[in-house]
Amino acid sequence: MTTRLERLAENLKTTLGEKLSKFSEHVGELTIECKAADLLSVCVLLRDDEKLKFEQLIDLCGVDYSGYGEGAWEGARFAVVYHFLSISLNHRVRLKVFAADDDFPVLPTLVDMWSAANWFEREAFDLYGLMFEGHPDLRRLLTDYGFIGHPFRKDFPMIGNVEMRYDPEQQRVIYQPVTIEPRDNVPRIIREEGFHNG
């Protein structure tokens, strides 16, 4: 007797075939991976195939893999992870796609297939610098319009690059270089002799 998860796994493998570059199951969740060039065709199959019917995109997020695994990562730096839900068939799948170019990461937009992708893609652009080709309005969503850089990238300085403040003389908000001294905060551990927990 096959379980629902096994049936979904088989349907994904059968329907997507060679377009799947990786497939895994962990703690009852399926993760599939495809190449950036296959993203649109894979998504059409996920949405329209009768055995899959992923009508809803429930989440999309960027990931920066630089430094992943304590620097042992040897692959593309940026990925987008999509979470899909089939309401009619009551199953979920996670799709991971790596951008081919680390210096200018670009993937096609999914706004035409799932309108919910609009703000998710804007968030990934704003925070990670991921570009979505064909997006109708790719502009910052969470940071200020004058913000420089992408704050969720691992190489973005923790103190930022600029700060803003209200200048009473000019009677407006101004931007200036960060005045905070960079430093590494190393926690200090104090151990008392004879201290026992419990």
Side-chain angles (χ1 to χ4, degrees):
M1 180 174 207
T2 60
T3 65
R4 291 170 46 84
L5 193 66
E6 290 169 336
R7 191 165 45 252
L8 173 59
E10 187 56 40
N11 290 339
L12 285 165
K13 289 176 185 174
T14 303
T15 304
L16 301 176
E18 296 295 316
K19 292 185 186 324
L20 280 181
S21 55
K22 201 171 186 182
F23 184 94
S24 66
E25 187 252 318
H26 182 67
V27 294
E29 295 180 357
L30 298 177
T31 302
I32 59 176
E33 195 174 307
C34 74
K35 294 180 178 145
D38 294 329
L39 176 61
L40 292 178
S41 59
V42 165
C43 286
V44 166
L45 290 169
L46 288 174
R47 186 191 63 189
D48 297 344
D49 187 272
E50 285 298 313
K51 294 181 220 147
L52 301 177
K53 287 189 179 179
F54 287 101
E55 304 103 346
Q56 192 170 19
L57 170 67
I58 57 175
D59 193 20
L60 173 164
C61 61
V63 182
D64 180 354
Y65 277 90
S66 64
Y68 181 75
E70 298 180 16
W73 180 256
E74 292 183 10
R77 177 178 176 181
F78 294 104
V80 175
V81 179
Y82 304 88
H83 294 262
F84 296 105
L85 170 67
S86 171
I87 297 168
S88 56
L89 299 176
N90 192 25
H91 53 229
R92 299 169 186 255
V93 71
R94 178 184 302 117
L95 170 64
K96 188 187 301 184
V97 182
F98 284 90
D101 185 356
D102 289 347
D103 295 324
F104 190 69
V106 180
L107 290 170
T109 185
L110 298 186
V111 170
D112 293 336
M113 282 187 246
W114 293 280
S115 60
N118 191 335
W119 280 31
F120 291 143
E121 289 178 354
R122 284 182 60 191
E123 180 183 52
F125 160 70
D126 193 3
L127 301 178
Y128 289 95
L130 295 162
M131 303 299 292
F132 294 91
E133 188 175 3
H135 191 285
D137 186 22
L138 195 60
R139 60 189 160 104
R140 291 192 181 275
L141 181 66
L142 300 172
T143 59
D144 187 57
Y145 293 119
F147 193 86
I148 298 168
H150 304 283
F152 279 16
R153 285 189 173 194
K154 301 244 176 107
D155 54 3
F156 189 83
M158 289 185 67
I159 59 170
N161 295 313
V162 296
E163 63 187 20
M164 64 181 218
R165 66 176 177 83
Y166 180 75
D167 186 334
E169 291 176 13
Q170 296 181 41
Q171 295 185 349
R172 67 181 183 91
V173 173
I174 63 168
Y175 294 88
Q176 64 189 43
V178 174
T179 57
I180 300 170
E181 298 270 335
R183 61 187 170 132
D184 289 328
N185 289 333
V186 178
R188 198 174 85 190
I189 299 172
I190 300 171
R191 290 197 171 92
E192 296 180 23
E193 294 298 321
F195 176 77
H196 298 285
N197 190 6

